[in-house]
Amino acid sequence: MTAKELRGKYLEFFKARGHAVIPSASLVPQNDPTVLFTTAGMQPLVPYLLGEKHPQGKRLVNVQKCLRTNDIDEVGDATHGTFFEMLGNWSLGDYFKKESLSWSYEFLTSPEWLGLDKNRLAVSVFAGDDDAPFDEEAFEIWRSLGISEKRITRLPKENNWWGPAGETGPCGPDSEIFYWTGAPDQVPESFNDDNDLWVEIWNNVFMQYNKNIKGSFEPLAQKNVDTGLGLERALVTLNGYDEIYKIDVIRPIIEKIEEISGKKYDETISEIPLNPPFTKGGNQKAMRIVADHLKASAFLIADGVEPSNTERGYVLRRLIRRAVRYGRQLGIEGIFCFKIARVAIEIYKDIYPELSREENSIEEQLTKEEEKFAKTLESGLKQFENVKIKIKNDSAKSGIISGEIAFNLYQTYGFPVELTKELAKEAGLEVDEEKFKDEMKRHQELSRAGAEQKFKGGLADHSEQTVKYHTAAHLLLAALRQTLGGDVNQRGANITSERLRFDFSHPQKMTPEQIKEVEDLVNEKIKEDLPVACEEMALDEAKAKGATGIFDSKYGERVKVYTIGSPSTGPSTGSGQCSGSAAFSREICGGPHVERTGVLGNFKIVKEESCSAGVRRIKAVLK
Ligand code: SER
């Protein structure tokens, strides 16, 4: 089965059961400061799980692109990857456990759908603790569906509780479905968590709690269902493969790496010569890392991430640099990352059009980062080799690479500390990470002074402030359009509780006068204490009313439109409108927003700079 077939079947199944298909959101969470990346399909839906009304209704289904980097060191084995797609269906206070579990079971086992062997399935349910009781309801549902009691395992919170994705947010007990990947005639009578041949394929979460900043679980007013079925893993299972790198959305990337390197995936190198100083490894591991990391990098860049030394940018940098290092290990010479990313773009462009749209910036960013790192990689590796020999010969050093050395490799040769750790591990050494962090801190102290202070606020305040910035972003876009012209469109936004970063299309640098004009206009609208109104309408209607919105493909048929200034109809930037009654801003947006602009405080643009060709970036704060 191909990825396309599986996505199609899944959406079709849930559409037939009253679910609206919603598009995949960005890998960069839009209004959620609690997480760095979208790691699950439920994440962009947090406001709706907490009770806000979703314009598409109470039953939703989609395919969501996700990135998880917690197991990045495991990538290279048969099963781990950083980028993946998650098939998910949701009930927002609508159906609950019975429908959810029955549908999952039907989709997996019915010959009309996936037709998996019922006898190879096992499930787990939440065993219960002080926060929530044993999930007897799920247990009974599974029994009534015909799963033998021995295959229904009760597991504690560490196994059978999902979320929140960040520190706070919706969560609840879950029920996981496992498939026996061993010999069909050797299915054990009962499920055993330690046996890797039982592979988890689907997770049904009953999101009925909200974990608050104090760490306690408050029951939610609405009982939700959040399910997640990993596409790659399901394809491996359905096709009877022994690794994810055989499925159709990855295989062509591996083949391209074979072509470029002139090496074979299946051929293992037992020992690689010491100069360049690469240690033991295999083509397989290296090719898997290159394939996974560059695919993930292409998706990240398409969603607006650029390599840097902090947060998302740092993760991207690590992915690219690790891919470059393994590419060299495979003997690939010259700039190669984009050649591989291009295959990923080809594979996914129909379902994720942002990849083709951003193809130029994917090429530009990958190549820039690769060139930068390629210059220092070889000398850094030589340096590492010297260090290694010294440490090995000096028993006083007890196999530890000091913080200073790791920092020097980072500072001078651009080695992310994780890369140094990986090299150290291969050489049987360790890195003194604590001291490395101290070194980092010492060097960052000056630039970071005061940053710590600002983080003190705590999460409750955090999100309130974030919502304010979100509304400020709408005012900013409207002010830019009014000042610079209606050609200005939003190209991206990144909001934290501390600042707003806003990218928009505009060919020239803004003049100081224009910056001042925009700033004044936003502040004027804040002073006017305008109401922020939300209406639901068809996408076409929203467009007809002149609503702005960034990525068309992100929206389904019915959308929420936030209007600032006037709840009446009429375009926000049309001519001939009486400025007193026309809306100042009208945007298609999922929210949330403040109720009136008066609470925002003073708006200040702190920076206006170039972001990429034809795109400017503004950084602004509310004081
Ligand atoms: N949020 C759950 C998971 O990621 C189910 O979608 O497994």
Side-chain angles (χ1 to χ4, degrees):
M1 186 176 282
T2 64
K4 190 170 174 202
E5 280 162 3
L6 180 55
R7 290 188 203 106
K9 272 188 187 247
Y10 186 80
L11 297 178
E12 192 194 333
F13 180 89
F14 283 99
K15 241 182 359 197
R17 283 152 191 79
H19 292 66
V21 180
I22 57 166
S24 174
S26 167
L27 283 175
V28 176
Q30 296 298 300
N31 299 302
D32 185 349
T34 69
V35 283
L36 222 45
F37 296 108
T38 300
T39 59
M42 51 70 67
Q43 246 168 261
L45 295 171
V46 166
Y48 310 104
L49 293 163
L50 294 177
E52 215 173 295
K53 200 167 159 237
H54 193 285
Q56 303 281 104
K58 293 179 173 176
R59 294 182 179 194
L60 309 173
V61 62
N62 88 348
V63 182
Q64 173 65 49
K65 51 183 172 175
C66 299
L67 186 84
R68 288 189 189 174
T69 52
N70 42 343
D71 286 335
I72 189 171
D73 291 332
E74 312 285 329
V75 177
D77 71 5
T79 56
H80 285 88
T82 55
F83 174 87
F84 65 101
E85 291 174 273
M86 191 180 261
L87 307 170
N89 59 281
W90 293 275
S91 157
L92 303 171
D94 190 49
Y95 61 81
F96 206 42
K97 297 181 188 179
K98 183 152 185 282
E99 291 87 339
S100 170
L101 296 178
S102 312
W103 285 336
S104 294
Y105 190 65
E106 183 187 350
F107 183 71
L108 291 176
T109 60
S110 159
E112 207 189 317
W113 301 99
L114 299 190
L116 290 177
D117 181 357
K118 289 179 180 172
N119 187 42
R120 289 168 80 169
L121 293 181
V123 300
S124 63
V125 297
F126 180 55
D129 62 15
D130 291 347
D131 297 318
F134 160 56
D135 198 345
E136 193 172 352
E137 195 184 343
F139 186 90
E140 287 306 329
I141 295 165
W142 282 123
R143 242 174 29 155
S144 70
L145 286 168
I147 306 267
S148 98
E149 262 186 53
K150 288 199 175 126
R151 295 261 185 90
I152 312 176
T153 310
R154 304 171 194 214
L155 294 174
K157 204 182 240 119
E158 58 174 329
N159 308 77
N160 272 60
W161 186 278
W162 204 91
E167 291 266 300
T168 56
C171 55
D174 65 36
S175 181
E176 300 180 2
I177 306 174
F178 300 85
Y179 185 76
W180 175 253
T181 57
D185 56 351
Q186 283 170 24
V187 196
E189 223 181 322
S190 56
F191 168 78
N192 173 0
D193 192 35
D194 294 332
N195 189 334
D196 288 345
L197 292 172
W198 283 114
V199 173
E200 184 210 330
I201 49 173
W202 204 339
N203 190 9
N204 283 238
V205 188
F206 309 116
M207 293 207 151
Q208 43 183 136
Y209 297 93
N210 182 38
K211 188 175 181 192
N212 62 26
I213 184 77
K214 292 187 215 106
S216 46
F217 298 88
E218 309 158 340
L220 283 172
Q222 123 190 340
K223 290 180 175 177
N224 309 291
V225 172
D226 152 39
T227 92
L229 172 67
L231 178 101
E232 290 75 4
R233 224 188 248 185
L235 284 175
V236 167
T237 309
L238 288 162
N239 289 304
Y241 294 152
D242 53 0
E243 55 158 309
I244 50 172
Y245 296 88
K246 289 190 177 141
I247 65 177
D248 70 303
V249 280
I250 307 184
R251 193 68 211 167
I253 308 180
I254 295 282
E255 281 161 11
K256 186 74 188 180
I257 301 171
E258 286 187 310
E259 181 199 313
I260 294 181
S261 65
K263 301 244 159 56
K264 283 273 153 232
Y265 179 66
D266 291 330
E267 183 184 86
T268 300
I269 315 165
S270 56
E271 192 100 35
I272 297 173
L274 273 182
N275 194 10
F278 296 114
T279 48
K280 272 186 194 169
N283 288 356
Q284 244 179 25
K285 178 180 171 187
M287 286 188 189
R288 286 169 174 170
I289 291 173
V290 173
D292 170 84
H293 286 14
L294 291 178
K295 170 159 75 165
S297 301
F299 272 96
L300 282 174
I301 298 168
D303 279 343
V305 182
E306 288 176 13
S308 76
N309 282 336
T310 56
E311 300 194 333
R312 294 184 187 99
Y314 182 69
V315 174
L316 174 59
R317 171 157 283 170
R318 260 177 80 188
L319 288 166
I320 300 172
R321 293 190 174 193
R322 192 157 181 245
V324 173
R325 183 229 158 177
Y326 278 99
R328 291 284 178 271
Q329 172 161 330
L330 286 164
I332 303 177
E333 282 169 13
I335 297 299
F336 71 95
C337 288
F338 181 65
K339 292 184 198 158
I340 289 157
R342 195 188 274 143
V343 183
I345 297 173
E346 250 339 280
I347 295 172
Y348 288 102
K349 67 177 187 200
D350 290 340
I351 151 146
Y352 301 106
E354 61 275 23
L355 288 173
S356 343
R357 202 169 53 223
E358 298 300 328
E359 184 158 353
N360 287 343
S361 76
I362 296 172
E363 172 163 15
E364 195 187 311
Q365 295 291 340
L366 277 179
T367 305
K368 208 162 82 183
E369 182 67 12
E370 187 178 355
E371 278 169 349
K372 202 186 267 181
F373 187 52
K375 273 193 212 133
T376 57
L377 173 63
E378 207 169 315
S379 33
L381 286 170
K382 281 201 186 111
Q383 173 70 8
F384 181 86
E385 209 46 32
N386 295 338
V387 166
K388 188 173 110 183
I389 292 163
K390 264 194 211 131
I391 292 177
K392 288 213 158 163
N393 289 339
D394 186 346
S395 56
K397 299 231 171 7
S398 54
I400 308 277
I401 297 179
S402 72
E404 285 95 332
I405 290 175
F407 185 76
N408 181 43
L409 284 166
Y410 169 77
Q411 174 107 324
T412 314
Y413 303 100
F415 279 31
V417 68
E418 293 80 6
L419 175 57
T420 304
K421 271 165 63 187
E422 194 169 352
L423 291 166
K425 198 168 156 201
E426 289 166 8
L429 302 173
E430 267 178 68
V431 174
D432 187 340
E433 251 192 297
E434 283 309 308
K435 288 274 154 48
F436 171 81
K437 282 186 195 148
D438 290 348
E439 283 297 310
M440 279 293 268
K441 265 206 207 104
R442 229 161 48 82
H443 284 78
Q444 286 169 346
E445 232 148 54
L446 285 176
S447 63
R448 283 276 171 89
E452 228 85 315
Q453 220 87 18
K454 287 186 212 143
F455 274 112
K456 263 193 199 150
L459 270 181
D461 174 60
H462 209 143
S463 65
E464 199 183 302
Q465 196 58 19
T466 307
V467 172
K468 286 185 187 170
Y469 272 114
H470 189 197
T471 306
H474 282 215
L475 291 176
L476 174 59
L477 175 62
L480 286 166
R481 287 168 66 92
Q482 194 158 314
T483 309
L484 306 175
D487 287 345
V488 168
N489 281 309
Q490 180 171 344
R491 296 298 302 270
N494 179 296
I495 296 169
T496 71
S497 63
E498 304 191 304
R499 54 115 184 96
L500 159 65
R501 203 177 76 198
F502 192 85
D503 300 343
F504 59 100
S505 53
H506 187 57
Q508 301 105 25
K509 188 170 174 51
M510 285 173 73
T511 64
E513 293 75 30
Q514 285 170 332
I515 293 177
K516 172 105 181 25
E517 201 179 325
V518 169
E519 215 173 65
D520 288 349
L521 191 50
V522 171
N523 281 318
E524 185 187 311
K525 297 297 159 190
I526 293 174
K527 279 222 185 69
E528 285 173 17
D529 195 21
L530 300 170
V532 182
C534 174
E535 286 171 283
E536 250 181 66
M537 59 186 82
L539 179 60
D540 292 344
E541 191 189 339
K543 281 189 183 156
K545 284 187 175 167
T548 48
I550 8 171
F551 309 115
D552 270 2
S553 71
K554 243 173 69 179
Y555 303 110
E557 292 211 300
R558 285 194 69 76
V559 292
K560 291 211 298 196
V561 174
Y562 278 87
T563 303
I564 304 179
S566 156
S568 71
T569 53
S572 57
T573 51
S575 55
Q577 288 281 330
C578 162
S579 65
S581 71
F584 177 65
S585 147
R586 179 167 284 137
E587 275 196 50
I588 298 171
C589 173
H593 284 281
V594 300
E595 282 175 20
R596 301 191 75 93
T597 58
V599 299
L600 298 186
N602 196 280
F603 177 82
K604 175 125 196 69
I605 295 178
V606 290
K607 209 173 197 179
E608 191 275 347
E609 62 192 352
S610 162
C611 171
S612 57
V615 179
R616 309 292 304 173
R617 169 168 290 179
I618 278 182
K619 288 195 183 133
V621 291
L622 291 169
K623 290 248 153 89

